[in-house]
Amino acid sequence: MAMAAPLTLVVVAAAVAVVFVGGGVEGWVLKEGFYEQSCPRAEALVKHYVEQHVPLAPSVAATLIRTHFHDCFVRGCDASVLLNGTDGAEAEKDAAPNLTLRGFAFIDRIKSVVERECPGVVSCADILALATRDAISVIGGPFWRVATGRRDGRVSIKQEALDQIPAPTMNFTDLLSSFQSKGLDLADLIWLSGAHTIGIAHCNSFSKRLYNFTGKGGPGDADPSLDAEYAANLRRSKCAAPSDNTTIVEMDPGSFLTFDLGYYRGLLRRRGLFQSDAALVTDAAAEANIASVVSSPPEVFFQVFARSMAKLGMVGVKTGSEGEIRKHCALVNDIHY
């Protein structure tokens, strides 16, 4: 019963090919196949590049989905996270949450392929949205329909990323508030968090839960909501010191390259790595939804995840006369190089 509403919404979302977003031109829309006339092979070029290269480095899928998420949470899905800082001003990519993003060069290479075919036509924002979808599909994850027609933003500010990207230390109330501020809801919070099934994290992003949760310090000061055996194993074999900021840990141990339900199973066993992961099961409705999906066929998770990814890709998009179509994803068009 708890899953009836999300599943109904999946069916509705799958049937929608044109999405009105109220951009810079009256009635302007995102729509599937936006480039059918202006650059007919655009989506095929993105897909071909992803299919060629992601199998050689499957972890790229995780960094692309994280990049897409971080982009959409700051100024909307406008590829502002891809911009370099200029004139001494730092950009979103210089903010702490984005320092470990590794997908910039990958997107730049796809952009160069598309630019050779159709100069100045396809936005970096659309390329990021399409490449993310295709990469997840390549590693065996769900496929969702991506409406296109996004324009690229011209502004990228470090502080905005610090203020708006959800932090791994957030409690449930703050997480839900953060998502709701972007037009997303409880279901989106639950299912978009499922991307952590292919995620990795640096020790310093959760070491407080292992060593200094109350401020007293030491291995005895662990977060009581974290499974004690799991915490001890992390201290012993992964994050041996509170100061470790280089070691990486799988967020879904044993299957972090597989898009599956392992992350949610871990949450129900109190083995979520981030405080924000653990927060999901502090809410009765969220925990019930997670338990329902875990006991269902994997296709159910794929459906609800796909719905929320399609919705994420609509957050704050620029269309019509807003923004621009960048020639190079790291630079606005009036920056010469």
Side-chain angles (χ1 to χ4, degrees):
M1 179 65 71
M3 291 306 303
L7 287 176
T8 301
L9 288 170
V10 171
V11 174
V12 173
V16 175
V18 178
V19 183
F20 288 83
V21 294
V25 172
E26 184 72 23
W28 197 272
V29 297
L30 292 187
K31 65 178 182 179
E32 293 178 30
F34 180 85
Y35 299 107
E36 281 181 355
Q37 300 301 318
S38 58
C39 189
R41 296 205 307 144
E43 294 193 25
L45 289 170
V46 175
K47 183 179 180 182
H48 179 68
Y49 189 92
V50 169
E51 290 178 339
Q52 274 191 316
H53 294 88
V54 168
L56 304 177
S59 62
V60 168
T63 200
L64 286 178
I65 200 167
R66 186 164 171 248
T67 301
H68 184 40
F69 179 87
H70 284 201
D71 179 47
C72 293
F73 259 69
V74 184
R75 293 185 169 266
C77 307
D78 69 346
S80 55
V81 74
L82 305 181
L83 285 170
N84 291 337
T86 57
D87 299 325
E90 293 184 302
E92 291 172 34
K93 65 169 56 173
D94 300 307
N98 293 329
L99 292 178
T100 52
L101 295 179
R102 299 177 293 107
F104 302 122
F106 190 87
I107 294 298
D108 285 344
R109 289 193 291 270
I110 298 176
K111 174 66 170 174
S112 67
V113 170
V114 176
E115 281 292 299
R116 285 196 294 270
E117 177 95 0
C118 308
V121 173
V122 182
S123 69
C124 298
D126 277 341
I127 288 173
L128 178 56
L130 291 165
T132 298
R133 186 269 312 275
D134 292 339
I136 296 299
S137 180
V138 164
I139 65 166
F143 181 90
W144 59 95
R145 293 162 66 170
V146 174
T148 46
R150 297 167 187 79
R151 304 268 292 178
D152 296 323
R154 292 176 50 84
V155 177
S156 185
I157 300 171
K158 175 182 176 180
Q159 189 60 47
E160 291 183 346
L162 293 172
D163 293 340
Q164 297 180 44
I165 294 172
T169 55
M170 279 186 170
N171 61 30
F172 182 82
T173 300
D174 291 340
L175 278 173
L176 185 57
S177 175
S178 175
F179 273 65
Q180 289 174 334
S181 74
K182 305 302 176 184
L184 303 171
D185 58 23
L186 173 62
D188 302 316
L189 167 58
I190 298 168
W191 309 130
L192 291 175
S193 296
H196 287 176
T197 187
I198 55 169
I200 57 174
H202 288 80
C203 287
N204 62 326
S205 62
F206 59 89
S207 60
K208 182 179 178 180
R209 299 190 74 203
L210 301 177
Y211 291 102
N212 196 32
F213 189 68
T214 67
K216 297 177 181 178
D221 192 21
D223 182 349
S225 70
L226 183 63
D227 177 74
E229 181 182 351
Y230 183 47
N233 181 60
L234 287 170
R235 287 191 297 266
R236 181 175 61 253
S237 62
K238 294 290 185 179
C239 308
S243 58
D244 186 343
N245 62 1
T246 57
T247 302
I248 58 174
V249 179
E250 300 169 6
M251 301 190 74
D252 182 2
S255 66
F256 81 105
L257 292 178
T258 305
F259 209 95
D260 59 19
L261 289 163
Y263 165 75
Y264 291 119
R265 293 191 182 101
L267 291 189
L268 296 176
R269 297 173 62 196
R270 299 193 300 125
R271 294 189 171 193
L273 207 54
F274 292 156
Q275 197 168 339
S276 56
D277 294 320
L280 295 179
V281 292
T282 64
D283 178 80
E287 184 178 23
N289 274 269
I290 291 168
S292 177
V293 163
V294 165
S295 63
S296 301
E299 292 77 17
V300 174
F301 169 42
F302 278 28
Q303 287 180 326
V304 291
F305 181 84
R307 171 202 170 265
S308 287
M309 281 301 301
K311 190 174 174 183
L312 172 69
M314 301 294 179
V315 171
V317 295
K318 294 173 175 62
T319 61
S321 60
E322 296 177 312
E324 64 183 13
I325 305 297
R326 287 183 220 142
K327 297 176 183 177
H328 188 291
C329 290
L331 304 167
V332 296
N333 287 341
D334 57 5
I335 301 295
H336 301 287
Y337 57 97

